[in-house]
Amino acid sequence: MQANKIDIFNFEVVEKKLLLIEDEEETVRNLKILLELEGFLVDTAVNLETAREKLNRYHYPLIVLDIVLPDGEGLELLKYIDTSKSKVIVLTAFGTVERAVESLKGGVYDFLTKPISVKDLIKTLERAFLELHSNQSGEDLNKTLREIVGKSSFVESLKRQLPQIAEQTGNVLIRGEEGVGKTLIGELIHKISPRKKFPLGKLVVRGKKNSSFELDSLLFGSEILGKERLGLLETSSGGSLLLVGIEDLPLKTQEKLLEAIEKGYFTPLGSNRRIKLNIRFISTTTKNLYEMAQKGLFNKDLLMKLNEIELEIPPLRERKEDILPLLNYFLDKFATQRGLEKPKLTDNVIDFLLNYEFPGNVMELKNMAERLVLLKSGKTVEISDLNFQDTKRETSSIFSIQNWKKAKKQFEKEYLKRKLIEANGNVKKVAQMVNLDVSNIYRKIREYNLEDYLKK
């Protein structure tokens, strides 16, 4: 099978795509009409040459194959079909039953004898499709759950709960400290939910509590002249909307969102047009929204709507068993991405990490792993190489500097170092991130002796 084959079948986009390979034109015509009435999308081929060409270009989950074709035996086409991803139903006349039975050993799903019973064919195709869909869904689920790394009881419990949460229709609120992985879990919930074939919208609310018009426009859309835009509630229709840092949503925007949820429709800014609301909300927060609601800082009714299912992610310091699995996962990942050798960890380093509090949680661990791959590729890591910087200590040390220019330089150095790590040492990318010329970035790198953070 060719590697560049176009996948025209996708469980998230097109269902019941079928290739009918049969040389009798009347049979093809009648079967195509009857199968399409049952919801199948039918493509056809009347000989080996046409079938071979289509199988080389496209992927079909369902294939109905006649053994006898004008230019050869249909079973020759099996070499072009991945029977782990496609179900093949063979059509056979009386004289070729023995060959059809033998074909089952070669991965053929089933065979039917001519004259064809359309009813039996449809039942067989439906059964094949459901089996294929079930296998694919299971593979997708297992692949998704592998993105949750760790050995703690929380991680094991989360892997069991997540499919159940994803299957439900209720809105989800994910609570936890900064950096624990709330956004990732929210994305995974959508990825394995019944809504996965529709878009996942994402709106970072955190830090925008004073940006009411911007958030309203992003959420509901705008038809105000000169400020037209489609809102996420419209572009993500049928899917999910991930609201990151929901605690910073302005109260007026909260009221509008609550009204939309209760009425089942919303209206873009500057418009009278009503648009049906068809969204599952997945929200994240670092705050106690119940306390905020009691103090009048968060809409109590909206909280009830968004919190139909609640999930709390504990900080990394409370699940020490996850530290080493996560560290090895990130070291492998960044070493592979950069084409570098994985650093080696001493027992002292491992003991230190297992007793470190990780105030920045998984995000801090991830950044540390990336830095180690960049600076200690193939080398042994010592405790001094970890270069942990306690946020409070770093802030106080900067504020303790009495000289303005020295404090500014200290901030610039740490800021540039962090951006180089985030960009994997790519100076052009850093320049785009911080909106400076590449030449200025290089000058600052030389000034602060940050050459080791450059991409090798």
Side-chain angles (χ1 to χ4, degrees):
M1 298 181 70
Q2 297 186 0
N4 62 347
K5 183 178 293 188
I6 302 169
D7 189 352
I8 60 172
F9 172 81
N10 184 311
F11 285 113
E12 299 179 6
V13 180
V14 178
E15 295 188 343
K16 298 185 179 179
K17 181 70 182 179
L18 181 154
L19 177 62
L20 173 60
I21 307 170
E22 164 67 61
D23 66 317
E24 296 178 6
E25 292 186 7
E26 185 177 352
T27 300
V28 170
R29 186 165 53 250
N30 292 336
L31 282 179
K32 181 176 171 64
I33 292 171
L34 293 171
L35 290 174
E36 287 183 343
L37 287 173
E38 294 295 325
F40 293 92
L41 299 177
V42 183
D43 197 2
T44 62
V46 295
N47 53 44
L48 280 177
E49 182 181 359
T50 305
R52 193 180 298 117
E53 179 185 346
K54 292 191 175 186
L55 288 170
N56 276 332
R57 292 183 61 196
Y58 306 115
H59 168 66
Y60 300 88
L62 299 170
I63 298 167
V64 178
L65 172 62
D66 190 5
I67 284 187
V68 180
L69 295 170
D71 48 350
E73 189 178 71
L75 295 178
E76 293 178 22
L77 294 171
L78 290 177
K79 66 177 104 174
Y80 300 96
I81 302 169
D82 183 349
T83 53
S84 69
K85 296 180 179 179
S86 301
K87 298 295 185 184
V88 182
I89 291 92
V90 167
L91 304 181
T92 177
F94 178 75
T96 56
V97 170
E98 188 176 341
R99 286 289 291 122
V101 173
E102 290 177 6
S103 72
L104 295 176
K105 299 176 184 179
V108 167
Y109 179 73
D110 204 348
F111 74 92
L112 299 173
T113 56
K114 293 183 175 180
I116 302 166
S117 164
V118 176
K119 185 177 180 180
D120 288 345
L121 176 59
I122 290 171
K123 282 184 179 179
T124 304
L125 287 170
E126 292 283 7
R127 188 174 73 249
F129 175 75
L130 287 174
E131 185 176 315
L132 191 64
H133 197 317
S134 175
N135 292 341
Q136 183 69 40
S137 297
E139 289 173 11
D140 289 346
L141 176 60
N142 291 332
K143 183 179 178 181
T144 298
L145 293 181
R146 283 196 293 270
E147 295 184 45
I148 305 173
V149 178
K151 294 182 178 179
S152 67
S153 58
F154 165 75
V155 167
E156 295 302 319
S157 174
L158 181 63
K159 287 182 177 182
R160 291 192 300 270
Q161 290 179 18
L162 212 62
Q164 300 170 12
I165 292 172
E167 282 296 320
Q168 297 179 47
T169 59
N171 296 323
V172 183
L173 177 66
I174 306 174
R175 300 171 57 192
E177 292 181 5
E178 191 69 37
V180 294
K182 300 183 296 296
T183 300
L184 170 65
I185 298 303
E187 291 170 348
L188 295 184
I189 288 172
H190 171 79
K191 195 173 181 180
I192 58 176
S193 76
R195 291 178 174 266
K196 64 183 179 179
K197 60 183 177 180
F198 296 102
L200 170 64
K202 180 179 176 182
L203 177 60
V204 178
V205 181
R206 182 168 295 120
K208 297 178 180 176
K209 61 176 66 177
N210 298 318
S211 306
S212 185
F213 176 81
E214 178 189 356
L215 289 170
D216 285 359
S217 176
L218 288 168
L219 270 174
F220 303 101
S222 172
E223 295 182 7
I224 298 173
L225 188 63
K227 297 180 180 180
E228 298 91 342
R229 78 184 315 162
L230 290 175
L232 286 166
L233 295 181
E234 184 172 3
T235 59
S236 306
S237 184
S240 308
L241 179 57
L242 181 58
L243 299 173
V244 180
I246 190 69
E247 67 272 9
D248 282 347
L249 197 65
L251 284 170
K252 288 186 177 180
T253 304
Q254 292 181 35
E255 291 172 7
K256 290 185 65 174
L257 185 57
L258 174 63
E259 183 182 12
I261 294 173
E262 290 179 336
K263 291 184 175 179
Y265 66 85
F266 62 94
T267 303
L269 303 183
S271 171
N272 294 321
R273 185 166 61 98
R274 291 183 178 182
I275 303 173
K276 183 180 179 182
L277 182 67
N278 182 13
I279 288 277
R280 186 187 195 185
F281 292 97
I282 303 173
S283 308
T284 76
T285 183
T286 58
K287 305 293 184 182
N288 187 326
L289 296 184
Y290 302 103
E291 289 184 0
M292 290 183 66
Q294 288 176 352
K295 296 176 182 178
L297 300 175
F298 200 89
N299 189 297
K300 189 181 297 184
D301 293 329
L302 179 62
L303 177 56
M304 298 300 292
K305 295 290 185 182
L306 296 180
N307 188 29
E308 293 172 327
I309 301 170
E310 184 172 325
L311 180 62
E312 184 161 4
I313 305 178
L316 194 54
R317 63 182 175 274
E318 294 180 8
R319 44 189 180 102
K320 299 279 189 179
E321 306 95 319
D322 296 337
I323 291 174
L324 287 184
L326 280 165
L327 178 58
N328 282 312
Y329 170 79
F330 288 129
L331 289 175
D332 288 334
K333 176 182 177 180
F334 293 128
T336 301
Q337 285 179 353
R338 299 296 294 270
L340 297 173
E341 193 175 343
K342 184 179 174 180
K344 303 177 181 68
L345 304 177
T346 65
D347 290 340
N348 286 340
V349 167
I350 291 174
D351 289 340
F352 180 87
L353 291 173
L354 291 176
N355 288 286
Y356 180 65
E357 290 296 302
F358 284 99
N361 289 297
V362 179
M363 184 58 69
E364 182 180 6
L365 179 64
K366 178 182 177 182
N367 289 338
M368 182 200 71
E370 190 168 12
R371 184 170 64 248
L372 291 178
V373 168
L374 186 66
L375 300 178
K376 302 292 292 184
S377 172
K379 300 176 183 176
T380 300
V381 177
E382 304 294 343
I383 292 177
S384 58
D385 297 319
L386 299 178
N387 194 26
F388 283 122
Q389 299 217 357
D390 184 86
T391 305
K392 293 179 181 177
R393 242 189 354 253
E394 182 182 329
T395 304
S396 62
S397 66
I398 291 177
F399 280 103
S400 67
I401 299 173
Q402 299 300 316
N403 185 286
W404 170 265
K405 289 184 178 179
K406 287 184 179 179
K408 180 181 176 183
K409 283 193 171 187
Q410 179 68 18
F411 171 77
E412 280 188 348
K413 180 179 180 179
E414 295 302 326
Y415 180 78
L416 182 56
K417 184 194 297 184
R418 176 61 60 87
K419 292 304 175 185
L420 283 167
I421 292 171
E422 290 177 6
N424 291 326
N426 187 320
V427 176
K428 288 184 178 179
K429 189 173 180 180
V430 172
Q432 292 174 348
M433 291 165 67
V434 302
N435 197 27
L436 283 177
D437 291 335
V438 172
S439 58
N440 286 338
I441 300 295
Y442 275 115
R443 181 171 57 79
K444 291 292 183 183
I445 288 170
R446 289 192 295 270
E447 180 181 348
Y448 297 126
N449 298 315
L450 297 175
E451 288 85 354
D452 287 342
Y453 289 86
L454 290 174
K455 186 175 182 179
K456 305 299 182 185

